[in-house]
Amino acid sequence: IYYGNTSVTVTGLNTPIRLEVPIDPAILPSSGAKCGFWNDQAVSGLGDWATDGCTTLNNGLGGRLICDCTHLTDFATLIDAAEAASSGGGGGSSSDDDDDNL
């Protein structure tokens, strides 16, 4: 978030921001869908997906993933691609257990 030309960090909100993200019901519920964000400070500044400060309120039932987050950043729906593929949800297969951005 920017205020003019200055980057502003918004964290620790008392009232969380609610996000509703459309998600393909074909990959649910076995995908382990959860709310996440890109943490550019993780892995010695290289960045990684994280879930800190975000609560997943459902797992995509009804075709929407609902999240409450106490900060503002780049958000995503994180799924376990191997689980989604094995449940017939498509998306290919993966040999690792890492979460993949949808």
Side-chain angles (χ1 to χ4, degrees):
I1 294 177
Y2 285 87
Y3 180 75
N5 292 329
T6 304
S7 177
V8 178
T9 301
V10 178
T11 61
L13 298 172
N14 291 327
T15 303
I17 302 296
R18 176 147 305 162
L19 305 164
E20 293 189 26
V21 182
I23 188 167
D24 183 354
I27 65 168
L28 300 170
S30 65
S31 69
K34 58 187 170 185
C35 306
F37 68 98
W38 184 253
N39 180 351
D40 58 357
Q41 300 302 311
V43 192
S44 300
L46 296 176
D48 197 7
W49 293 107
T51 59
D52 307 11
C54 288
T55 303
T56 303
L57 301 178
N58 69 355
N59 31 343
L61 299 176
R64 292 186 118 21
L65 185 71
I66 302 173
C67 315
D68 276 355
C69 297
T70 58
H71 54 82
L72 298 177
T73 187
D74 297 319
F75 296 100
T77 300
L78 305 178
I79 64 164
D80 184 325
E83 289 294 324
S86 68
S87 70
S93 63
S94 173
S95 61
D96 62 43
D97 291 332
D98 290 342
D99 291 326
D100 292 313
N101 180 22
L102 193 185

